[in-house]
Structures are given as C-alpha cells and as structure tokens.
Amino acid sequence: MVFPRIQGADIVGRIAAVGDGVDAARVGERVIVDFSIYNRPEGDESLADIDYIGHGRDGGYAEYVAVPSENAHRTTASMSDAELATFCCAYLTAEQMLDRARLAGGENVLVTGASGGVGSAIVQLARVRGAVPYAISSRGKEEALLAIGAERVVVRGGDDLVRDVEAAVDGPVDVVADLVAGPMFNDLLRILRPEGRYTTAGAIGGAVVQLDLRTMYLKQLELHGSSQGTRTAFRRLLGRIESGAVRPLLHGTYRLSDIHAAQRAFVGKTHIGNLVVVPDRHWADVGAPHAAA
C-alpha cells in the first residue's frame, strides 16, 4: 500500500485518453469501471488474492482516474451517470454472494441490512433469479423495500428474530445473505433449513460473533465468505443493468468537495440504496439533478 491513496471504487464516465496498446478509438466511450484488480489471468475465477481500485491503486474520488483498459466496460445504459454509478461495487458484491450460495429460482432468501447498497441489490438480484427475497431492516423502510421486490419485511429489534422470520416467510429459508452479523448471527443459522446456505460480505452489526457449532454441523449447513466478484459476474451484471432487469437506487448526490457530509449521511443509515459523490466540475450536469436534500 502506498500513501496517500485516493479512494473511490465506483467509477462512471467517459474515456479522456488511452495508454500504449489501447485502441485510440476508445476515446470518448462512456464506460462503467469494474473496480476489481484481478491478479490472475482471464479464465481463473479465484478471488483469493483480489484487490480493488481505491485500495490497491488510486480510485475515483478525482476528476480523472487511470484504470486498466480491461476494467473499463463500454455501456449503452440509458440512465444518468449518477444513477449508473450506484451499481458496480454494491451490485457486484451482491451478485457474487448469490453465486457463492447458489441461489436458485423458487428458493427463499433472507437478506439482512436490506436497505443498504448491497442489501437492496440482493433483493433485486434475487428476483432476477426467480428467487423470493425476504428483508430484515429497521422500522420505516418497509414500503421502500417492498417496492423494490421484497416479499415481506421483518423489522429488526424484536424480542424473537427466529419467531418473527418464521411468521413472515412462506416456507423454509434456503439462503441467508447476511451483511450485519453481530448478535443475531446464531439466530440466522437457526432460521436456515437443514442443508441451508449462509453467505456474508459484511458485518456492520459486529464482526466478532458467537457460533454454536452444533447448529452448523447438526443442520449440515454451508457457510460462505464472499467479497467483490468475478469478471464473469461483472459481465452478467452489466447485461442486467442494460436490459433494465435491475434499477438504480440513488438516494442522493454530493459534491466531492463536500465528501465529509456524504460520509456523515452514509453513517447515519437513514437512506435506501446508495449515495454518489460527483467531482465539482461536473456537479451542474451530473450531480445537481439528483442532489441530496
């Protein structure tokens, strides 16, 4: 790691210049950037040593950013740049989580942290697969989650999560897609059917959890850790974006110079979906039409 490092993994824009060996005709292309830095050749889907733009190299919190040509994917999506920027990190992470858990059509999936960027993406992407998503979220976000495809919403903070989920879900829970963990981790495993699958890419409720191994081995459960996504998953996701199978959930935009306000809003967790930061020079055209209140 080299410091200082420019952060920012979700990047959308137009190609301003190309390096040696890249077709000059690409200048002017509108692109969405796959933020993953793949340290393995095309065809090797292992993510064991993956890195990402904004960490392993400078990212998109800037007016210009240099990325590998293979990561810049031409797009014909009809939505605005700010809307398109909501997809990459959150939706690719969600798609990979569902790949790891092998979520199939007709199955039920329980999604924690469902109002956040990744959680709301899982709800939509589960529907694309023909699965039935059930959401766990805080009070006040139920209608928004139902509107994007949740079958039902379980409000977090009740006396008995297992009972509340059993009352809400029609049938067994085949997959838990967890972004919260913390104190409810063991309950999530109890909720799963025998031979169910648990997949996680986050732990905003607490990363250190208590695990009753008897629940895991007596129920023959699978536990999957997941992060980022493969080249194949990104290409599949881009197709779903351009076909309209998933839609952007843009809660609001902020100027890059006002990034601290954006971070405070993000930590406040009152939003649904994603917040987007826009370089000041492009604010009038890209950011202002979607500005946060």
Side-chain angles (χ1 to χ4, degrees):
M1 173 67 72
V2 177
F3 294 102
R5 172 66 79 220
I6 299 172
Q7 296 180 306
D10 292 290
I11 303 166
V12 169
R14 292 190 178 274
I15 296 177
V18 296
D20 294 341
V22 180
D23 188 350
R26 295 203 66 186
V27 173
E29 272 186 10
R30 187 182 187 221
V31 296
I32 180 172
V33 175
D34 180 354
F35 69 108
S36 295
I37 299 173
Y38 301 102
N39 291 310
R40 299 183 182 224
E42 181 81 36
D44 186 339
E45 298 278 65
S46 172
L47 302 180
D49 52 3
I50 198 168
D51 205 334
Y52 62 92
I53 295 170
H55 180 271
R57 62 185 295 157
D58 284 339
Y61 288 163
E63 188 172 335
Y64 296 96
V65 58
V67 302
S69 60
E70 70 161 0
N71 290 64
H73 292 255
R74 180 177 179 272
T75 179
T76 58
S78 59
M79 62 195 71
S80 69
D81 282 1
E83 290 171 320
L84 190 59
T86 63
F87 285 109
C88 183
C89 182
Y91 284 66
L92 181 59
T93 300
E95 184 74 358
Q96 180 69 12
M97 287 175 70
L98 299 184
D99 278 354
R100 293 277 285 160
R102 306 186 308 281
L103 182 69
E107 290 191 313
N108 292 330
V109 54
L110 181 67
V111 186
T112 70
S115 64
V118 179
S120 56
I122 293 172
V123 171
Q124 291 192 65
L125 291 166
R127 284 294 187 187
V128 171
R129 293 172 180 241
V132 183
Y134 293 83
I136 297 178
S137 191
S138 56
R139 191 173 301 280
K141 299 179 179 179
E142 298 94 328
E143 291 302 317
L145 289 168
L146 293 171
I148 64 170
E151 187 75 5
R152 290 191 182 89
V153 180
V154 176
V155 176
R156 189 177 67 247
D159 293 332
D160 190 331
L161 180 65
V162 177
R163 180 198 62 203
D164 293 346
V165 171
E166 287 177 347
V169 177
D170 182 16
V173 174
D174 302 288
V175 172
V176 165
D178 183 23
L179 301 161
V180 177
M184 67 179 175
F185 174 76
N186 260 319
D187 282 344
L188 295 173
L189 299 191
R190 291 173 58 206
I191 288 164
L192 278 168
R193 67 164 173 82
E195 297 185 340
R197 290 99 70 197
Y198 169 97
T199 179
T200 181
I204 59 175
V208 179
V209 299
Q210 289 187 326
L211 168 61
D212 187 337
L213 284 170
R214 294 169 296 183
T215 303
M216 188 175 77
Y217 67 71
L218 290 174
K219 295 181 73 173
Q220 313 282 340
L221 301 179
E222 296 180 26
L223 274 64
H224 295 278
S226 185
S227 177
Q228 299 175 231
T230 64
R231 294 178 177 93
T232 299
F234 185 89
R235 294 185 187 111
R236 188 191 318 128
L237 172 62
L238 183 55
R240 289 173 174 169
I241 294 167
E242 294 185 337
S243 72
V246 292
R247 64 186 179 91
L249 295 176
L250 174 57
H251 186 82
T253 52
Y254 291 83
R255 289 178 175 86
L256 178 58
S257 62
D258 204 17
I259 191 170
H260 289 170
Q263 291 170 328
R264 287 192 294 270
F266 177 79
V267 172
K269 296 184 175 66
T270 60
H271 60 286
I272 303 288
N274 295 276
L275 306 173
V276 171
V277 173
V278 178
D280 289 42
R281 190 167 75 87
H282 301 289
W283 176 254
D285 295 331
V286 178
H290 306 283

